Amino acid sequence: MRSVFWLLGLGALAVALALLVGHNQAMVTLFWPPYRFDVSFNFVVFCMIAGFVLVYLALRAINVLRELPAQAQRWRAQQVERAAVGSVLDALSYQLSGRFVRSQAAGLAALEQLNALPSAQWPRRHQLLLLAHLLVAESAQSLQNRKARDEHLQSALHPRLARSAPEAHEGALLRAVRWAVEDRDANAARSRLAELPQGAARRIQALRLKLRIARLGGATSEALETARVLAKHRAFSPDASRSIVRGLALDALGESHDLSQLQALWGRLDASERAMPELALAAAQRANHLGMQPGEPGDEDQASTTALVLSWLEPVWNRFAELDAAQQRQLVRTMEPGLAQLDATWLARLEQAQRQLPNNAYLQYLTGQAFMQRQLWGKAAQLLGQASHSLAEPSLLRRTWRSLAALAEERGDVAAAQSAWKKAALLD
């Protein structure tokens, strides 16, 4: 389209010149006393146009000559810029390929080239400077040269570079946090993490580092909260998220020092977490350990602890058939200390579950022990006798034979009692 307009303009100019000078008989008289010059008007017009063109070309030539030093300087700066960019790319390529010595050398070469480039001639010099320092520090970290790493990291975190390249500055801070975690310095990692802007601190990469710092520093509750946020943002696969949250929750439950702290922690768990059999069993076992220590609590304390444990275990108990053998064994061992405080409702649940799964050795054992606590000797002896033939857990089997020995003594069967005591002793 532009070429069409140029052709139209040239055509209009040609028509105008033809109309003006085609049959123009005008003369121009020039006086230079005592001389007089008569010149054709067309010739004067031609001389004026030619003079304008010559003056314009002369001025352009002078400007070109005056700009030659600046152009040469810009050309040299471009060459340095290209060399610096190439060195940074080489450092990054070597870093990704695991050639850390060459990466460090390329990064140092980039720094030398960038320091020779005036910042006024290239606005992105600061960004490349920061990246070059960061690549050299990364290589030094891989080579276990902490002194060089810290020197270049401090250079990369200079406020002047941070103002010019905020995104690269945030990346340098995240790298500093990761290196502090690798050095197992939780305080330094927290300090660097606190320097991140609020928006950057909520990114998945920062949250991952926060999780590692919390686990490194033993802050299990903080690690659990961070793991929940990461799971919500799908930073891990569903199975991995469940495993991480479960592991951290188990650690938090194990760190509880009293029942009130344990109850508070249990209340902070999500409904989905409280429904996990592993967490419910771990919480119940911890409650038994804290609230039913021999000789310390009274009967009322034991009853309240048993009620608390059973309330946590009720969802797990309702899915007893879905549990694996290890979880069933753990559930039985967790419920056994509170059998003396079971009410009629729970006793009926035990009996009903045993009838639904008559061949389950763990239910036979647990129900038999519950009947024995109620002095229902016949039912207890029947179920414990069945359990003694199918139980494989040594500790449960030993307690089974002890209970059978006590039942035999209760009914006066000395031979059966001695046999049961002997079998129990062989399992010690």
Side-chain angles (χ1 to χ4, degrees):
M1 183 62 69
R2 294 180 62 183
S3 60
V4 173
F5 285 114
W6 273 106
L7 289 175
L8 291 176
L10 290 176
L13 180 61
V15 171
L17 289 176
L19 292 176
L20 180 64
V21 302
H23 300 285
N24 191 354
Q25 301 297 324
M27 299 291 292
V28 175
T29 300
L30 300 177
F31 293 94
W32 187 271
Y35 303 103
R36 172 184 173 179
F37 301 93
D38 293 326
V39 185
S40 170
F41 178 78
N42 292 344
F43 180 74
V44 172
V45 171
F46 175 76
C47 289
M48 291 178 63
I49 294 173
F52 174 79
V53 171
L54 289 175
V55 171
Y56 175 76
L57 292 177
L59 292 175
R60 287 295 301 272
I62 292 172
N63 287 332
V64 169
L65 290 176
R66 293 179 60 184
E67 289 180 358
L68 281 178
Q71 289 181 356
Q73 188 175 3
R74 283 196 298 269
W75 181 84
R76 287 193 298 269
Q78 288 178 355
Q79 299 305 310
V80 175
E81 173 186 335
R82 291 175 182 175
V85 172
S87 297
V88 171
L89 292 177
D90 289 340
L92 179 60
S93 301
Y94 288 135
Q95 179 70 37
L96 294 175
S97 63
R99 308 180 75 172
F100 304 118
V101 175
R102 292 196 176 188
S103 176
Q104 190 175 36
L108 293 174
L111 290 174
E112 183 179 355
Q113 293 158 353
L114 287 168
N115 290 327
L117 179 66
S119 59
Q121 296 186 5
W122 190 29
R124 304 197 71 175
R125 172 177 174 268
H126 289 163
Q127 184 178 9
L128 265 186
L129 267 173
L130 194 153
L131 292 176
H133 279 297
L134 191 58
L135 286 170
V136 175
E138 182 75 35
S139 300
Q141 168 69 11
S142 300
L143 296 171
Q144 297 299 313
N145 188 350
R146 294 184 180 180
K147 181 179 179 181
R149 180 201 69 184
D150 293 339
E151 290 178 358
H152 287 280
L153 179 60
Q154 290 300 323
S155 300
L157 296 177
H158 194 279
R160 177 169 49 88
L161 301 182
R163 289 191 297 269
S164 302
E167 292 81 6
H169 177 71
E170 293 170 3
L173 284 175
L174 288 173
R175 275 291 189 273
V177 174
R178 195 194 72 183
W179 295 337
V181 171
E182 291 177 359
D183 294 342
R184 306 193 65 81
D185 189 349
N187 294 330
R190 287 184 183 277
S191 176
R192 291 297 187 185
L193 191 64
E195 296 179 22
L196 283 172
Q198 186 176 3
R202 293 196 298 265
R203 295 172 190 164
I204 290 180
Q205 182 67 20
L207 290 175
R208 285 176 181 268
L209 292 171
K210 184 179 180 181
L211 174 61
R212 295 180 62 183
I213 294 170
R215 300 188 70 175
L216 178 63
T220 308
S221 299
E222 180 185 357
L224 181 58
E225 294 297 330
T226 307
R228 287 172 180 163
V229 176
L230 286 170
K232 181 181 178 181
H233 289 7
R234 299 181 180 179
F236 310 109
S237 65
D239 292 338
S241 299
R242 178 185 174 90
S243 177
I244 292 173
V245 171
R246 181 175 62 242
L248 291 172
L250 288 173
D251 293 340
L253 291 171
E255 293 174 359
S256 300
H257 301 295
D258 51 46
L259 277 177
S260 60
Q261 184 181 4
L262 183 63
Q263 286 180 275
L265 176 60
W266 182 261
R268 291 197 300 269
L269 296 180
D270 297 338
S272 59
E273 296 169 357
R274 289 195 294 268
M276 294 181 183
E278 300 88 345
L279 295 185
L281 291 170
Q285 285 184 333
R286 189 62 180 170
N288 283 336
H289 177 74
L290 295 174
M292 305 184 76
Q293 296 179 1
E296 294 185 2
D299 293 339
E300 295 182 359
D301 294 334
Q302 289 187 356
S304 62
T305 302
T306 299
L308 180 66
V309 168
L310 293 178
S311 66
W312 292 350
L313 291 179
E314 185 174 358
V316 182
W317 176 262
N318 294 333
R319 300 182 335 192
F320 185 88
E322 302 175 9
L323 303 178
D324 56 34
Q327 291 174 340
Q328 290 179 359
R329 179 176 65 252
Q330 188 178 2
L331 177 59
V332 168
R333 299 183 66 174
T334 305
M335 293 181 63
E336 186 178 4
L339 289 179
Q341 285 77 32
L342 286 183
D343 55 16
T345 302
W346 266 101
L347 192 63
R349 288 179 181 176
L350 290 179
E351 190 171 6
Q352 181 182 4
Q354 196 278 323
R355 288 176 180 176
Q356 291 176 351
L357 299 172
N359 296 324
N360 190 287
Y362 298 116
L363 286 178
Q364 292 171 354
Y365 169 81
L366 186 64
T367 309
Q369 293 287 8
F371 284 150
M372 187 173 176
Q373 293 288 341
R374 297 297 187 281
Q375 297 183 358
L376 300 173
W377 313 122
K379 290 184 177 181
Q382 180 184 358
L383 292 174
L384 291 173
Q386 294 174 0
S388 65
H389 298 294
S390 51
L391 274 177
E393 175 68 20
S395 60
L396 295 180
L397 186 57
R398 182 170 56 252
R399 288 197 288 270
T400 300
W401 284 114
R402 287 178 178 177
S403 298
L404 288 173
L407 290 172
E409 291 177 350
E410 185 69 27
R411 64 176 182 267
D413 191 346
V414 178
Q418 291 179 350
S419 176
W421 282 119
K422 182 178 180 179
K423 292 180 180 179
L426 293 175
L427 293 171
D428 289 338

